[in-house]
Amino acid sequence: MKFTQMKPDQIDLDDQRFRIPSFSSLGSLIPSIKKAGILNPPVVTTRSGKIIAVSGFRRIIASRKLSLPMIPVFVLKETSDREAFKIPLYENLSVRDYTPIEIASIIKKLHDFGEPPQSIVRTYLPLFKSPPKREVMDVYISIHHLSEDIKEIAYKKQWPFSTLELMTNFTEKENKALYPFLKAMSLNKQKQLIENLFDISRKRDISVQDLLSSDEFSFIQNDKSLSSVQKAEEIFELTRQKRNPLMSMWRDSFQKACENLDLPEEITVIPSKYFEGDTLSLKLDFKSRSELKKSIQKLKELSDKKEITLLLDPLSHD
Amino acid sequence: MIESKPQIERVFIEKSSSLYPLSEKVLNNLGDIPQQEVDDEEEVREYLRLVKDPIGKGKKMLLLKSFKGDFIKPCPCTPHYLGCNYFIINADLNCPMDCSYCILQHYLDNPVLTVHVNTQDLWAELDRFLKTNKDRFLRIGTGELGDSLALDHLTERSRELISYFRDRPRANLELKTKTTHIQNVMSEKPAENIVIAWSLNSEKMAAAEETLAPPVRDRIEAARQVQSRGFRVAFHWDPLILYPGWEQGYSEVIEQLSSKIDPCRIAWISLGSLRFPKPLKSLIRKRFPSTRIIYQEMVNGKDGKFRYFKPLRIKLYQKVVERLITHIGDKVPLYFCMESKEIWKKVLNKEPGSKEEVEYFLSLLPRFDAD
């Protein structure tokens, strides 16, 4: 590769064949270049008489924004797209791990540039700490085809591979229907909402957009008194109830039974996780010996109440 | 009774294992099928990594290799639930049938059908194992990491196992299957400590979820024949699955079972409900897109596996147990696979404190008054 100086405008950024898409902003890159210049020169090459970027797209854009007259670049001799693409691939890999969205894009590009599937599976998937299996490669290619909106959320919230894989089962319309709610949620809720909606839609054999346009969901969506975050929260709760109706009922009954017992503030009855165990736990707060004695007395009274069996035997909630 | 044999498309023979008599026997029984010698298992694994559905493909490929590890292991069961002190013999791995819920899809790291051909090592290990455990009752079987009879037409392993255990009456050998491959078993002399067991489900679930497995009525017919030959039989209702119409579906099979099988010669019946670790869910979703069984109301159990919400499990078990008792009586030992002590108590009104107690409960013989 030849090292030289070049005007940033000379580089055709419309040709993005080698670009590994990034949803990150130029952020700290501009002040960094302003202060220290370009320490790691981009790589360029020529295609159809034009100079195009091989690596360093963001550095070139930043330098244009800063109106730098010249920037240092490496010029790559004419070589195949497949070989040229490996430069940005390895260059980034040397400084950070790729996100699943980036890996999906890289796998798709390698595939399109003619890299044989066995080479992608054996050589590249292990580089990305992914299992070296053909089926994993296929899932990444499907992930690449998700809508840009969804990919942006996934990139920013760092969705794991499993969530992205599940999203590939949704149709494009389902993706669109989901987008407004997903963008207002935390990562954990995003994952749960996707999983729950998928499960409900498959169990009932209806699409996610049909589910989201059903009365209960529409009511929330059309409620003008709710903000988008509140709507997302309500949709999340409703989906959770629909996915696990008996469990929701059970939890409500347990809650109601606790309320009926009129427990003092300092005493809390805690059920086992998902009611899977057969024991309840008791939490008791006290600040002094007298408070403790008072609570113990209260507990004695509670244990005599016949309503306590509602907590001890969840089946009687039926 | 329709009998379907697995469609093996290719056989891999580990170089160092080609001279074992069992390799020769399997190759003879297979007939004209492409063979390929490999240095080791890794070559097969590598090949399968490059196919789109390695699990499906692995079911059509057979690997003959010698096993370097321990053939006999305690059944891993699952943490935080009650086990039954079972021992497994890792003779053959994997299964040519393709049940949507099968744990082996997730559990085994090599999806190819595998026959361990170093049988002499197995007998030596069994000798040592039985000698060490000579003072206790044992239940041991080959049907945990594979189907005991699915490859029996190739290996004829059932005959050797039956012969071996016939002279060792303190150990109960269980051959567990979904198939109707009973020819080799039928040619053997029965013994009290040999139990031939079938996994059962409703016909609807078998047809929808147990690809390539015979209909349940054929399994019951095979059990009838084996019982008529003089063997004790056992049944595993596992996994019981909740689906619209499950009560009717399970009742019908129980009625059918009771009309064909003499309950006095049923060694035990186990019950378990659908459960799976999280990674298996996405595998099932991918490999069986039309299945709906993974979308029922499930919770993350104490062992980290998804299982039906407890009240649903209790209802499912209570109904099945009630039908079983109505039709086959209350003398056949019923037990749970991977369930909590609470479920044992609520459904079977039994309170085993440990897996040893479960084992003891299953060892109580005879159970029927002669009349």
Side-chain angles (χ1 to χ4, degrees), chain A residues 51-299:
Chain A
I51 299 169
I52 67 167
V54 175
S55 77
F57 278 83
R58 293 170 71 246
R59 277 164 278 165
I60 298 166
I61 295 167
S63 60
R64 279 188 183 180
K65 283 194 187 298
L66 289 166
S67 305
L68 298 183
M70 300 292 267
I71 57 167
V73 292
F74 286 112
V75 180
L76 180 70
K77 278 188 183 168
E78 189 103 2
T79 180
S80 70
D81 283 357
R82 190 168 122 193
E83 289 312 305
F85 181 59
K86 290 171 190 174
I87 290 172
L89 189 163
Y90 281 102
E91 188 185 20
N92 287 328
L93 197 62
S94 64
V95 288
R96 67 183 175 88
D97 286 337
Y98 285 114
T99 67
I101 290 292
E102 289 171 324
I103 298 170
S105 169
I106 292 167
I107 299 282
K108 177 71 168 64
K109 280 185 190 279
L110 282 169
H111 184 258
D112 291 351
F113 287 143
E115 191 73 24
Q118 55 266 43
S119 161
I120 295 176
V121 171
R122 286 182 184 142
T123 310
Y124 293 98
L125 287 178
L127 275 182
F128 306 137
K129 297 171 188 158
S130 292
K133 292 179 180 177
R134 170 68 193 248
E135 48 190 330
V136 174
M137 179 190 112
D138 291 342
V139 173
Y140 272 123
I141 290 176
S142 303
I143 290 171
H144 175 76
H145 289 116
L146 289 172
S147 73
E148 290 302 306
D149 286 345
I150 293 292
K151 282 200 280 189
E152 186 173 0
I153 297 179
Y155 180 89
K156 287 184 174 161
K157 294 282 185 183
Q158 296 189 16
W159 284 4
F161 179 81
S162 56
T163 304
L164 285 160
E165 185 183 16
L166 185 54
M167 279 306 285
T168 64
N169 291 288
F170 289 118
T171 63
E172 207 180 319
K173 280 184 177 173
E174 287 176 322
N175 267 286
K176 269 193 180 152
L178 259 172
Y179 175 71
F181 306 110
L182 288 174
K183 71 174 184 182
M185 281 180 182
S186 66
L187 172 64
N188 275 341
K189 287 195 171 170
Q190 285 172 341
K191 288 196 292 189
Q192 274 185 56
L193 181 74
I194 293 166
E195 184 93 29
N196 287 341
L197 278 175
F198 185 85
D199 288 359
I200 300 165
S201 75
R202 270 34 178 192
K203 188 181 173 187
R204 296 187 187 177
D205 279 320
I206 57 168
S207 69
V208 167
Q209 75 262 30
D210 283 347
L211 185 66
L212 289 174
S213 27
S214 65
D215 288 350
E216 285 168 292
F217 284 95
S218 296
F219 182 76
I220 297 171
Q221 292 176 71
N222 298 330
D223 188 343
K224 291 197 172 107
S225 68
L226 298 174
S227 68
S228 57
V229 175
Q230 287 169 322
K231 280 181 188 176
E233 191 62 36
E234 298 255 326
I235 293 281
F236 175 80
E237 271 310 318
L238 183 59
T239 310
R240 203 157 70 155
Q241 279 170 29
K242 299 266 169 221
R243 176 65 185 89
N244 295 308
L246 187 60
M247 164 84 93
S248 300
M249 223 166 73
W250 209 263
R251 200 182 287 118
D252 291 348
S253 302
F254 183 85
Q255 201 58 45
K256 205 171 165 189
C258 286
E259 283 165 20
N260 290 342
L261 278 171
D262 200 19
L263 294 168
E265 222 173 69
E266 62 274 16
I267 297 174
T268 319
V269 183
I270 306 156
S272 60
K273 201 174 175 190
Y274 307 120
F275 298 94
E276 182 62 14
D278 57 352
T279 51
L280 300 174
S281 305
L282 203 61
K283 183 173 168 283
L284 194 147
D285 298 322
F286 63 93
K287 286 193 293 246
S288 62
R289 184 193 290 258
S290 62
E291 270 189 26
L292 176 62
K293 278 185 177 173
K294 214 170 118 187
S295 291
I296 289 170
Q297 182 54 40
K298 185 73 188 167
L299 280 173

Side-chain angles (χ1 to χ4, degrees), chain B residues 9-43:
Chain B
E9 293 173 353
R10 179 171 286 273
V11 192
F12 296 94
I13 310 121
E14 198 182 54
K15 268 180 193 157
S16 57
S17 304
S18 58
L19 295 176
Y20 282 98
L22 185 52
S23 295
E24 221 169 288
K25 186 194 280 185
V26 171
L27 292 175
N28 278 338
N29 286 334
L30 266 171
D32 192 19
I33 282 173
Q35 299 175 13
Q36 186 181 331
E37 232 180 27
V38 291
D39 285 330
D40 57 31
E41 188 176 0
E42 187 51 32
E43 256 183 73

Side-chain angles (χ1 to χ4, degrees), chain B residues 123-337:
Chain B
W123 304 133
E125 194 181 323
L126 270 170
D127 284 345
R128 288 194 300 273
F129 175 75
L130 294 179
K131 196 174 166 190
T132 313
N133 293 285
K134 65 180 184 328
D135 296 326
R136 58 172 285 197
F137 172 83
L138 283 169
R139 287 165 70 239
I140 189 165
T142 53
E144 288 303 304
L145 301 184
D147 183 287
S148 297
L149 299 181
L151 300 176
D152 202 47
H153 60 296
L154 302 175
T155 63
E156 299 169 36
R157 207 189 280 282
S158 67
R159 303 182 64 177
E160 289 183 293
L161 282 166
I162 292 171
S163 296
Y164 178 90
F165 277 94
R166 186 184 290 117
D167 302 328
R168 292 153 177 94
R170 287 199 67 80
N172 272 325
L173 170 72
E174 183 180 39
L175 300 177
K176 201 191 298 182
T177 188
K178 280 193 181 94
T179 72
T180 54
H181 303 173
I182 52 173
Q183 302 87 328
N184 292 327
V185 172
M186 293 295 276
S187 69
E188 287 298 307
K189 199 175 111 192
E192 275 303 284
N193 64 325
I194 311 295
V195 177
I196 317 296
W198 274 266
S199 295
L200 298 180
N201 220 304
S202 70
E203 287 290 9
K204 188 171 180 180
M205 283 300 99
E209 307 295 337
E210 298 177 344
T211 309
L212 301 179
V216 178
R217 61 179 173 278
D218 287 1
R219 299 179 213 174
I220 294 174
E221 171 56 21
R224 188 196 63 75
Q225 290 181 27
V226 164
Q227 199 182 51
S228 301
R229 176 80 178 93
F231 287 97
R232 287 200 297 155
V233 294
F235 299 98
H236 298 279
W237 291 90
D238 197 356
L240 288 164
I241 296 170
L242 286 170
Y243 65 95
W246 64 268
E247 290 192 34
Q248 173 76 6
Y250 289 122
S251 288
E252 282 169 5
V253 178
I254 291 168
E255 278 173 40
Q256 205 184 119
L257 186 74
S258 69
S259 70
K260 291 208 165 192
I261 302 294
D262 175 5
C264 299
R265 301 288 293 157
I266 299 178
W268 47 73
I269 292 178
S270 79
L271 303 161
S273 58
L274 182 65
R275 57 207 175 275
F276 47 85
K278 195 173 182 192
L280 185 57
K281 186 177 177 185
S282 57
L283 239 165
I284 296 173
R285 203 157 43 204
K286 193 157 48 177
R287 294 200 65 239
F288 302 92
S290 60
T291 190
R292 295 293 177 263
I293 62 172
I294 50 176
Y295 305 125
Q296 289 294 336
E297 194 163 349
M298 294 183 139
V299 297
N300 203 350
K302 286 184 271 186
D303 54 356
K305 288 178 189 157
F306 286 114
R307 45 183 73 223
Y308 295 131
F309 184 39
K310 192 168 71 184
L312 293 171
R313 294 209 309 279
I314 290 175
K315 188 178 171 194
L316 174 66
Y317 290 140
Q318 280 175 335
K319 191 73 193 172
V320 171
V321 167
E322 184 252 306
R323 301 312 295 160
L324 281 169
I325 291 173
T326 303
H327 286 278
I328 62 167
D330 61 357
K331 302 225 168 125
V332 177
L334 302 179
Y335 73 100
F336 285 115
C337 184

